[in-house]
Each structure stands twice: as C-alpha cells, then as structure tokens.
Amino acid sequence: MRRTLFLELLRQQFTVALIPIVLIGGVAYQILFPRLTEELRQNRQTLALSVGEQVEARLASSEDHLKLIALDIINNPNAASLANRLDAFVQVSDIFEAIYVTGMDGKIDHIGLPIADISTRRLFQDMDVSFTALSAEQQPLEPGRYYWSNVFISPISGQQSVALFTAIGTSHLIAEIDLRELPSLSQRLSRGEIMVLLLDDKATLIAHPDMDISQQQFSLGYASLFTENMASLRTGTFIWNSIEQFATVVPLAATRWQVVVSQPLTSFNATIQYLTVIWLLLASATFVITAFIAYRTAVRESKPITELQAMTEAVSQGNYDVPRIETHIDEFESVSNAFIAMASQIQSRERELNDLNTALEGRVAERTAELMSINEALTNSVLRLETTMEQLVQSEKLASLGSLVAGIAHELNTPIGNAKIAVTSQQDYIRDVRQDLEQGRLTKSLLDQFMEDIDSTADMALRNMNRASDLIRSFKQVAVDQTSSNLRTFNLATVINEVLVTLRPTLKRSPVHVETQVPANIDMHSLPGSVSQVLTNLINNAVHHGLSDNHKSLTINISADLKDDLVLLTVRDNGIGMPAENIKRAFDPFFTTKMGQGGSGLGLNIVHRMVRGMLKGNIELTSREGQGTTFVMTLPRDVTGQLSATQANVMMNHHG
C-alpha cells in the first residue's frame, strides 16, 4: 500500500524519541541539577577569590609606596627637609591623602599634604592623634611590618578614612588612604546585580559601588556572616536594603579586612531556574536529533536513494538526460520529478552563462581601459595635490612671517614714539635758551638746567632708538633666515633669543612665560631659518592649544643639550596636553582641534617636514591630558654630513 513519507516517519519518531527524553529527564533531576547548583556556588567562590586577589594587589601597591617613603626617611633623616619630601610623595601619589610622622607621645612631628592644603600645615603640627581610633591600632608595632587600620574619622580631613602605618625607630609613619579610590575599585569590580563590598574586621563598610553609601560608615555587624569564622572563606545570606542577599566572603590576611561578593538571593535562584530551562531545551533538542536519527534509520527503501545518487553524479558530469526514479513513496517520486526539472534548468542556465561569460570578457576589457584612464587621472590629481600642499606650506610660513611683521611694527611704536617725544622736547629747550640768550636773560643756572635737560632727553632718545634697533636687527635676521634656505654656522642660543625677541609682541598679550636653558657653547652648521620656523611654530602651537578656561596660564621651557655630534632640543609646556588619539595624528596635514578658530592644521606638519627633511633630524612627541606637551628634537650639529653632495653644494652656493 502506498503511503506518504511524513506518516511513516511520524510513527517511528514518537516510538524512538520518547525513550531517551525520559532517561535524560530522570538523570537531570537526580544528578545534574544538584551538581549544577554546587558548581554555581563554586563559581561565586572563585569570583570572590579573584576579587580578593585584585583588592590585595591594589592594597599591596599602597604598601610598596609606603615602603619607598619609609626607606627614604631612613636613608635621609634630615628633619628640615622631611615635610617637603612628604609633600612631594603625597602630590605625586594618587593613593595617599596625607602622610605624617608621629612620636611616641602621639603628636604629629612632620606632615605631608597636597598642594591645596600646604598652607594649613601649621594647624596640624604637634596635633595629638593619640585619642583617635587609629592610635589603638599602633601599639605595639613590629619594625619592618606594615599594618592597616579599620575605618576611622581622619584628624586631618575630618572625613572617613583608613590608614597604612609602620614603625621607624621610635616614630610611627602613617599614610591616610584616599577612600574614594576604594569605592571606585568596588564599582569597577561589580557587574550587573553582583555587588562587591569591602569591610574592616569590625564589619564596618569601607567601600561600596555607591560613593555616597561608602562615606556613611555603615556597620554590617548585625549579620553573623561577617562576625563569625572570620579567618575562613564562607558563604551565606544577609539583608541589605530589605533585600536578602546571597554572599561569598573572602578574608584578606594582610589587612584583616573582608571582601564580600553578593547578589540578590532571588537572582541566584533565577540562575538555577535558567539552567533548568536550558536543560529542558537540551532535552527538546535531543528529541529532535533522536527523531532525525529514527527517520534516517527507518527508511527501508535504499533503492530510491541509490538511484537518486546516480542521478546526482550524472548531472555533476554534465549528463542532464537522467531517468525517472521508480518508487512507491510519493515524496521520492516528487523529488525525482523535481530533480529532472532542475537538471533541465541547469542545462539552460549553463548555456546562458556561456553567453554571459563571452559578453563579460568584452566588458572587462572595456572596464580595464577605463580604469587605466582613471588611474592616470588620479596620478595627475595626486601630483596637483602635492603641489598645492607645498604652496599651502609656503603660505603658512609667509603668514607666520606676516604675523611677526605686525607684532614688530606694533612693538616699535613705543620706542620710536618715546624717541620722538625726547627730540621734540630738545627742540623746545633749544628754542627757550635761544630766546633767553637774545633777550639777555641767560644765566648760568638756566644754562646748567638746559644742559641737564638736553642730557636727559638725549639719553632717553638713545635708549629708545637702541631698543628699536635691537628689535629691527632680530627681526631682520629671523626674517632672512625663515624666507631663505641659507646654510651657515650659527650659535643656537643666539637664534633662540632672536626668535623670542620677534615673538615678544605676541607673547606679552597672552598669559605665557618662556624659559630658556640653552648653553652658550652650542654652535651648529645648519639651516637657522628652519630652526627658527620650527621654534616659532612650536611656541605658537603651545599658545594656541595649551590654554583653556581651566588652564589660564602657560609656561614654555626651551632647553638644549649636546650629545656627541647631536643636539637635543626640547620644547616643553605645562598646558592642557592632548589625548592619545590626537597624538597619533598631530603631525598629519590639516589636522587641528581649532578648525574655524584660527587653526590651519599645518603648523606641526611643517615642523615635522622641516625636522625630518631639511634639518635631517628626528622629532618625538609625548603628552598627557592635563600634564602638558613635550617635543624632543634630535638634530645633527653639522647638517652637511647628512645631506647628499648635490644638496650641500646647492646650499653652499646659495649661501655664497
């Protein structure tokens, strides 16, 4: 009797598949679910131990810092400089809020504070801290060992704090820890509903993911989980904000603190329920797989499969005239008919593909010719862009020179105006004396006064004209250097001073102070114009980008050092710095963070091109946000040793 394949397979699936489903369900209920629950608890313990290790590593770094401070005090017991050294340790550390040394009487002998609190140092000098909870932790202290306190109210800041302390001779070295760092650590380690807490050995809260809660000095001593068996790893429940929590507690041996990793008990149970659903899905998948296997094994007619395989091989070899399969199963007969129709379609599509391949070859040839034409056009465009780039660089250099001209012109107004006033005054004095002489009123006292006035105004005119002459001479040398490529021998300190003189009109309008530390004995045989342009661009870049609403003053330090035949030229500022993503692009052309605000994006690119190209040196940039920017240039003292013979001859002839 003929029947459909679906009805035949449906009967076998229910017969074969139900047996393994029942077996899997029984095994899961009796063995796997309890084991999964235990594994989940073990995973929570593993997570808690990992968190404990991270907290101990963070605290160990604090101990390492304090060991360095203790070693410094032991090696250099000079009491006069101790407070300043402690200040320096506090200011460079992101861990300590204050560091102080107390005597056996519990009074503060020396204290280090942050910059903002140094003015209050005298308020804490000789302060008696023996009454604080911290003092109870200090007695007795074993030399060379470091101790952690419980939570206490700081006598320095008046805020909740913890301390790390040790003994140095008859004194105690105490470092108060910034508790804001510990809640931040708790917040980073917490994930989703999993909450990481830090308690002291009295179950007082030290750190919570919420900074406000961390500062309220909560006590969890009501829960026996935190007050019993404190030396061992343990699990249990406690109430937090009216919610029952499942927690794993890890003791920290070095500090006697406790790390708590918890999550709502309902969430923990939900995880078990989720695993149950997963197992049900796996059971269902097992049912489907078993049914499929039953289907494959239930097929009793191997002949249709063999014939279908033969048809497939024939079609794969290009023989599309395949016979129809003779079978008593409707589905196989339908497959056979469909396969024959498919073979016919493949044969038709193959003919179409051959025609398309022929047409495609022609189109490929056409597109190849078009692409060659486009490539040639792109090459020409690149050449034009390079030319435009060079023109923009020259325009930027001339614009910089134009800015110098405007500044120098403005700066010359004052000395020239003063000289004019002095000369005009001299004319008035001479006219008055001539009148007195003609009228016979000229006396020795009037003549003496006239000579004194003439000397005074002449000295004033001479000083102002000398100042104008210095400005013009410096500008003339810088302008000639920057607009030419003359190769000559020059003194580096002199060139730097000339650049600063020409930039003085611009710099004095800004809250900028420039310091130089350049030895007077560094002579170079190079391109002073390029050196001037590089320094001008770096100083202008610092002024333009180093100031902000929160950073209203700027100090630029220019230093140089001689190492063998290399000159190390450093330009450093204490401005706002730049983020890491901007450092990678700082020397790219047209990259600027001040687009539309006066920034062209070519200043540092010109610096890079000149240092690496014309000056045959190297330049390195380092910067961190809020900590300023540093450019270090390594330049050959004699650039002719780095130039090709042709380049050197051209520059020497041009110089001549």
Side-chain angles (χ1 to χ4, degrees):
M1 183 180 69
R2 297 183 61 141
R3 54 190 176 275
T4 64
L5 183 60
F6 173 77
L7 293 176
E8 177 68 11
L9 294 176
L10 187 63
R11 180 182 64 83
Q12 296 185 18
Q13 286 174 355
F14 280 100
T15 302
V16 177
L18 287 176
I19 296 175
I21 293 299
V22 173
L23 293 176
I24 291 175
V27 172
Y29 182 79
Q30 294 293 331
I31 300 176
L32 296 181
F33 286 166
R35 182 177 298 176
L36 288 174
T37 302
E38 183 60 26
E39 287 181 358
L40 188 58
R41 291 177 181 271
Q42 291 293 334
N43 289 338
R44 289 292 177 269
Q45 289 187 2
T46 302
L47 175 60
L49 288 172
S50 175
V51 171
E53 290 174 357
Q54 295 183 56
V55 171
E56 285 187 324
R58 187 69 180 90
L59 297 179
S61 67
S62 302
E63 292 186 9
D64 292 340
H65 279 76
L66 194 61
K67 287 178 182 178
L68 293 176
I69 298 172
L71 184 62
D72 178 77
I73 295 175
I74 293 172
N75 292 334
N76 185 8
N78 184 3
S81 64
L82 182 54
N84 292 332
R85 301 201 321 267
L86 293 178
D87 287 342
F89 281 118
V90 172
Q91 292 159 16
V92 302
S93 171
D94 59 351
I95 302 173
F96 300 140
E97 286 187 326
I99 303 174
Y100 44 93
V101 178
T102 65
M104 296 302 293
D105 57 357
K107 293 183 178 181
I108 295 177
D109 295 330
H110 306 280
I111 185 168
L113 297 169
I115 293 178
D117 299 331
I118 288 178
S119 60
T120 65
R121 188 198 310 278
R122 58 185 180 82
L123 300 177
F124 307 110
Q125 197 72 32
D126 295 327
M127 173 183 284
D128 187 0
V129 296
S130 61
F131 62 88
T132 65
L134 177 62
S135 64
E137 304 286 343
Q138 301 180 32
Q139 304 295 337
L141 300 185
E142 179 181 341
R145 185 176 175 184
Y146 292 81
Y147 300 83
W148 287 88
S149 75
N150 289 325
V151 176
F152 67 97
I153 300 301
S154 168
I156 306 303
S157 64
Q159 301 293 322
Q160 181 174 283
S161 182
V162 295
L164 175 64
F165 48 89
T166 187
I168 301 179
T170 60
S171 300
H172 292 163
L173 176 62
I174 305 172
E176 291 191 11
I177 305 301
D178 185 355
L179 278 185
R180 293 171 297 180
E181 175 66 12
L182 296 179
S184 299
L185 180 62
S186 173
Q187 187 179 45
R188 288 197 302 272
L189 296 176
S190 299
R191 294 289 186 276
E193 292 184 326
I194 296 177
M195 178 174 61
V196 177
L197 308 176
L198 188 61
L199 310 178
D200 64 18
D201 64 352
K202 296 180 180 178
T204 301
L205 184 65
I206 298 176
H208 183 279
D210 189 335
M211 177 69 75
D212 294 335
I213 295 178
S214 297
Q215 291 295 326
Q216 294 178 20
Q217 205 168 2
F218 276 103
S219 175
L220 300 182
Y222 60 84
S224 61
L225 177 64
F226 307 123
T227 58
E228 299 177 0
N229 300 322
M230 297 177 59
S232 61
L233 186 147
R234 55 203 182 275
T235 59
T237 60
F238 71 102
I239 304 299
W240 177 266
N241 285 344
S242 302
I243 298 175
E244 188 173 12
Q245 301 277 334
F246 178 79
T248 300
V249 183
V250 178
L252 303 181
T255 61
R256 298 169 300 158
W257 294 354
Q258 306 175 73
V259 174
V260 181
V261 178
S262 69
Q263 70 178 115
L265 185 61
T266 55
S267 174
F268 181 84
N269 293 332
T271 304
I272 303 298
Q273 296 171 0
Y274 173 77
L275 292 175
T276 303
V277 172
I278 293 297
W279 276 109
L280 291 175
L281 292 176
L282 290 175
S284 301
T286 303
F287 172 81
V288 173
I289 294 172
T290 306
F292 177 74
I293 295 174
Y295 156 71
R296 297 297 297 171
T297 58
V299 177
R300 295 172 298 173
E301 302 293 337
S302 60
K303 182 178 178 180
I305 297 176
T306 304
E307 292 178 352
L308 183 61
Q309 181 180 6
M311 291 173 61
T312 304
E313 292 176 354
V315 170
S316 66
Q317 295 173 4
N319 182 10
Y320 301 107
D321 297 327
V322 292
R324 188 182 305 276
I325 296 177
E326 297 296 335
T327 179
H328 59 276
I329 298 178
D330 293 340
E331 282 74 10
F332 274 111
E333 187 175 356
S334 299
V335 169
S336 176
N337 294 333
F339 197 86
I340 292 173
M342 181 184 67
S344 177
Q345 291 180 0
I346 291 175
Q347 187 176 20
S348 176
R349 294 289 177 85
E350 191 176 59
R351 295 192 188 98
E352 294 177 0
L353 285 174
N354 290 334
D355 295 338
L356 287 174
N357 284 337
T358 302
L360 184 60
E361 290 177 357
R363 293 182 61 187
V364 167
E366 294 177 359
R367 291 295 296 167
T368 300
E370 292 177 3
L371 289 174
M372 291 179 65
S373 176
I374 293 172
N375 186 52
E376 183 178 356
L378 287 174
T379 301
N380 294 334
S381 297
V382 170
L383 294 175
R384 288 195 296 270
L385 285 174
E386 290 178 351
T387 302
T388 303
M389 181 65 183
E390 291 297 332
Q391 292 174 351
L392 287 173
V393 170
Q394 293 300 322
S395 298
E396 181 74 9
K397 291 169 63 177
L398 292 176
S400 175
L401 187 60
S403 177
L404 290 180
V405 171
I408 290 296
H410 182 272
E411 188 74 6
L412 285 173
N413 282 338
T414 299
I416 292 177
N418 291 339
K420 181 179 178 182
I421 291 173
V423 173
T424 303
S425 298
Q426 286 182 346
Q427 289 178 338
D428 292 339
Y429 295 152
I430 293 172
R431 183 177 60 253
D432 292 341
V433 168
R434 182 179 289 112
Q435 290 178 357
D436 291 339
L437 179 62
E438 291 174 351
Q439 296 175 8
R441 296 196 306 267
L442 183 62
T443 64
K444 183 178 183 300
S445 62
L446 290 176
L447 184 59
D448 290 340
Q449 182 64 41
F450 168 74
M451 295 302 293
E452 183 178 347
D453 292 339
I454 288 297
D455 285 341
S456 175
T457 53
D459 180 65
M460 176 180 175
L462 181 60
R463 281 189 287 104
N464 281 276
M465 293 308 294
N466 285 336
R467 181 181 175 191
S469 175
D470 291 340
L471 286 171
I472 293 172
R473 182 173 60 256
S474 297
F475 170 73
K476 178 180 178 182
Q477 185 60 58
V478 172
V480 169
D481 285 338
Q482 290 191 6
T483 55
S484 66
S485 298
N486 287 348
L487 181 67
R488 66 181 177 87
T489 300
F490 60 92
N491 180 266
L492 180 60
T494 301
V495 169
I496 292 175
N497 289 334
E498 290 174 348
V499 170
L500 294 180
V501 169
T502 58
L503 290 176
R504 187 181 302 153
T506 303
L507 297 178
K508 73 179 185 179
R509 295 195 297 269
S510 303
V512 178
H513 175 64
V514 180
E515 300 174 347
T516 59
Q517 297 173 341
V518 181
N521 63 340
I522 299 180
D523 293 325
M524 300 178 65
H525 188 68
S526 186
L527 303 171
S530 298
V531 175
S532 300
Q533 185 69 53
V534 165
L535 289 173
T536 299
N537 285 15
L538 290 179
I539 293 173
N540 287 335
N541 182 78
V543 174
H544 197 53
H545 296 276
L547 297 171
S548 68
D549 293 338
N550 297 325
H551 205 101
K552 299 184 180 297
S553 64
L554 184 70
T555 298
I556 301 174
N557 181 273
I558 302 174
S559 61
D561 192 15
L562 191 60
K563 186 176 182 181
D564 297 331
D565 291 332
L566 297 176
V567 176
L568 301 181
L569 182 58
T570 303
V571 179
R572 178 183 294 105
D573 66 70
N574 64 344
I576 63 174
M578 62 178 72
E581 59 270 18
N582 289 353
I583 294 177
K584 299 177 181 178
R585 304 180 58 195
F587 295 120
D588 292 349
F590 307 112
F591 173 75
T592 179
T593 59
K594 297 284 187 177
M595 187 61 68
Q597 304 176 36
S600 66
L602 290 175
L604 291 184
N605 178 255
I606 291 175
V607 169
H608 187 267
R609 288 161 61 92
M610 284 188 169
V611 172
R612 297 294 298 274
M614 301 181 71
L615 297 176
K616 301 301 177 183
N618 190 29
I619 182 169
E620 295 180 359
L621 164 61
T622 57
S623 181
R624 292 183 65 182
E625 289 189 90
Q627 298 186 17
T629 301
T630 301
F631 294 88
V632 179
M633 291 160 283
T634 305
L635 307 175
R637 191 175 186 183
D638 188 349
V639 77
T640 56
Q642 306 294 323
L643 298 173
S644 66
T646 302
Q647 290 175 317
N649 290 334
V650 170
M651 289 188 176
M652 292 297 292
N653 292 336
H654 180 68
H655 177 61

